[in-house]
């Protein structure tokens, strides 16, 4: 795609606080603008969204009543990625040379409570207990570990890494290290996934400032090139959250589709990526997404993870900020949190969790129900 640059990035603390979701969002936008050295009055378009914390366009009440076109985006876990694609298209079309993207949320305690009718399902689907997302995560990884020889301990090692990386991230929610044994012993939720293998609904916000190369030259700073940003929805044959059935035969994968499209658009292969963020709603998701996004073959994750290849100092550092498991999942913010982390890694500003050698290419992937994925490729 035509070159678009990220010149500013801002993020709030994730977890639980007395702040509203809107407060998190405003703070993240102002931090991103300050990072870019661009005033709000210079922004020509804005895109953002939240699942449960209000309408993004109303943030102008705090940011400034400049008349900027501000489009609300709501696309589940791909809300941030969809807002990012919208901003890229606004710049590429000539609508503006500087755009802001923001994602935020504040979820109540407890599990998500989706309504069947919002997903095209009959009320009986919820009445019979089939809207419980953990059971789908359990079923999907149970099938995967059976087919590809992944052990429960490997799932625990993924979560152990998440909590260890989260302990290095001052903005993370879960900052206490947990061992693989503690994770395995934390109580079964849906076999083979235990309590500490899951993320939790939470709160937080992330924002980015994007611009054209011409504007980037005039404001300086430390830009990162957004080589690709894509969103895809499921094709027939996918095994998704809330799917009432799946067909026989080989399954399709929306994450595989989105990642393939992103790498093709960027002209970069998975083997060139030096740091990546993969959706880890639970530890089984990270395992599956390693293969679906093209970083390894199905079944190779067992060796990759046990050898330390996905650690901060490994061959392919994954979820260096602790991912969803350590940060929690504010739905609107998660995808942009991923991009924020990769931007900091490419800039060499990730602090104690900085990947050695300062990587030059990064990748992000988010997956959400009922089969939507957003991926980006970034480079310096």
């Amino acid at each position: 795609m035509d070159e678009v640059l990220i010149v500013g990035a801002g993020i709030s603390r994730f977890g639980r606080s007395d702040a509203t979701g809107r407060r998190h969002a405003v703070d993240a936008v102002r931090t991103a603008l300050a990072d870019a050295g661009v005033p709000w009055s210079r922004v020509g378009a804005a895109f953002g969204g939240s699942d449960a914390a209000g309408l993004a366009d109303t943030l102008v009440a705090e940011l400034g009543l400049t008349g900027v076109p501000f489009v609300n985006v709501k696309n589940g876990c791909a809300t941030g990625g969809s807002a990012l694609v919208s901003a890229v298209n606004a710049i590429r079309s000539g609508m503006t040379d500087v755009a802001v993207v923001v994602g935020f949320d504040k979820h109540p305690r407890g599990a998500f409570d989706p309504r069947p009718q919002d997903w095209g399902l009959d009320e009986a689907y919820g009445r019979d207990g089939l809207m419980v997302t953990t059971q789908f995560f359990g079923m999907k990884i149970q099938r995967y570990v059976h087919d590809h020889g992944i052990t429960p301990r490997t799932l625990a090692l993924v979560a152990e890494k998440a909590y260890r990386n989260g302990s290095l991230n001052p903005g993370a929610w879960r900052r206490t290290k947990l061992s693989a044994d503690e994770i395995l012993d934390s109580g079964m939720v849906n076999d083979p996934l235990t309590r500490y293998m899951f993320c939790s609904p939470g709160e937080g916000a992330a924002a980015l400032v994007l611009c054209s190369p011409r504007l980037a030259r005039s404001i300086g700073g430390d830009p990162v090139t957004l080589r690709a940003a894509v969103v895809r929805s499921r094709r027939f044959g996918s095994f998704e959250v809330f799917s009432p059935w799946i067909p026989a035969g080989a399954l399709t994968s929306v994450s595989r589709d989105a990642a393939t499209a992103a790498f093709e658009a960027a002209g970069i292969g998975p083997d060139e990526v030096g740091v990546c963020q993969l959706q880890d709603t639970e530890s089984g998701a990270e395992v599956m997404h390693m293969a679906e996004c093209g970083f390894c073959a199905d079944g190779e994750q067992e060796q990759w993870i046990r050898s330390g290849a996905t650690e901060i100092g490994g061959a392919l550092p994954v979820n260096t900020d602790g991912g969803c498991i350590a940060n929690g999942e504010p739905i609107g913010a998660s995808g942009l949190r991923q991009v924020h982390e990769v931007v900091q890694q490419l800039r060499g500003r990730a602090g104690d969790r900085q990947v050695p050698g300062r990587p030059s290419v990064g990748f992000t992937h988010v997956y959400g129900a009922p089969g939507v994925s957003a991926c980006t490729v970034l480079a310096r």
Side-chain angles (χ1 to χ4, degrees):
M1 69 181 188
D2 296 338
E3 196 169 81
V4 174
L5 302 179
I6 297 174
V7 290
I11 198 165
S12 74
R13 286 205 61 169
F14 278 49
R16 299 235 179 256
S17 74
D18 294 331
T20 64
R22 289 173 55 86
R23 181 75 265 154
H24 287 307
V26 170
D27 289 348
V29 172
R30 286 176 174 164
T31 300
L33 290 169
D35 183 39
V38 173
W40 173 248
S41 60
R42 183 66 178 79
V43 176
F47 303 85
S50 163
D51 184 73
L55 299 173
D57 69 302
T58 64
L59 298 175
V60 298
E62 285 82 25
L63 295 170
L65 301 176
T66 63
V68 62
F70 201 135
V71 178
N72 290 314
V73 179
K74 188 169 183 178
N75 203 12
C77 293
T79 292
S82 299
L84 184 59
V85 169
S86 300
V88 167
N89 289 336
I91 293 172
R92 293 176 65 192
S93 71
M95 175 185 177
T96 182
D97 59 1
V98 57
V100 160
V101 181
V102 61
F104 61 102
D105 249 310
K106 186 181 180 76
H107 301 293
R109 295 180 183 275
F112 292 120
D113 56 348
R115 301 184 306 167
Q117 60 268 35
D118 291 341
W119 305 86
L121 299 169
D122 187 85
E123 282 295 330
Y125 203 77
R127 186 180 65 243
D128 294 340
L130 296 175
M131 296 301 291
V132 181
T133 57
T134 61
Q135 67 183 346
F136 283 93
F137 297 139
M139 286 189 293
K140 192 168 185 178
I141 190 60
Q142 187 72 272
R143 175 174 177 159
Y144 193 86
V145 301
H146 172 271
D147 290 348
H148 301 293
I150 306 299
T151 63
R153 187 160 193 86
T154 293
L155 299 178
L157 289 173
V158 170
E160 181 183 71
K161 171 178 64 67
Y163 294 117
R164 183 166 55 250
N165 291 353
S167 74
L168 303 174
N169 178 6
W173 182 8
R174 312 295 192 192
R175 301 197 63 206
T176 300
K177 296 179 183 179
L178 292 173
S179 70
D181 288 338
E182 289 176 303
I183 292 162
L184 286 169
D185 293 339
S186 61
M188 190 64 67
V189 177
N190 287 96
D191 193 15
L193 300 171
T194 65
R195 178 184 179 188
Y196 292 153
M197 292 180 186
F198 284 92
C199 76
S200 299
E203 64 183 69
L208 304 171
V209 179
L210 280 64
C211 73
S212 65
R214 182 188 64 80
L215 180 63
R217 286 191 292 270
S218 68
I219 65 176
D222 191 5
V224 168
T225 302
L226 184 60
R227 295 287 295 269
V230 303
V231 176
R232 291 289 185 273
S233 63
R234 68 195 186 279
R235 292 186 290 121
F236 181 78
S238 59
F239 185 173
E240 309 297 351
V241 175
F242 308 144
S243 294
W245 64 280
I246 58 173
L251 298 177
T252 62
S253 163
V254 66
S255 294
R256 196 180 303 276
D257 291 346
T260 298
F263 283 124
E264 287 179 353
I268 288 174
D271 59 321
E272 299 175 69
V273 172
V275 61
C276 73
Q277 294 280 112
L278 303 177
Q279 179 80 7
D280 61 333
T281 313
E282 31 70 34
S283 55
E286 181 175 318
V287 170
M288 291 184 287
H289 294 146
M290 285 175 62
E292 291 182 346
C293 292
F295 294 109
C296 66
D298 291 313
E300 290 183 351
Q301 300 98 320
E302 184 83 4
Q303 176 59 32
W304 276 59
I305 292 165
R306 286 178 178 266
S307 71
T310 59
E311 300 286 348
I312 288 174
L316 181 69
V318 178
N319 293 337
T320 48
D321 65 348
C324 286
I325 292 175
N327 286 278
E329 185 167 26
I331 286 177
S334 285
L336 296 183
R337 171 189 56 77
Q338 294 181 330
V339 177
H340 179 278
E341 174 66 11
V342 170
V343 167
Q344 300 313 310
Q345 290 286 349
L346 298 187
R347 287 172 161 182
R349 299 183 187 175
D352 291 340
R353 64 187 187 279
Q354 178 65 49
V355 171
R358 188 182 168 194
S360 59
V361 177
F363 173 85
T364 72
H365 155 272
V366 67
Y367 162 83
V372 61
S373 181
C375 294
T376 70
V377 179
L378 304 99
R380 60 174 172 85

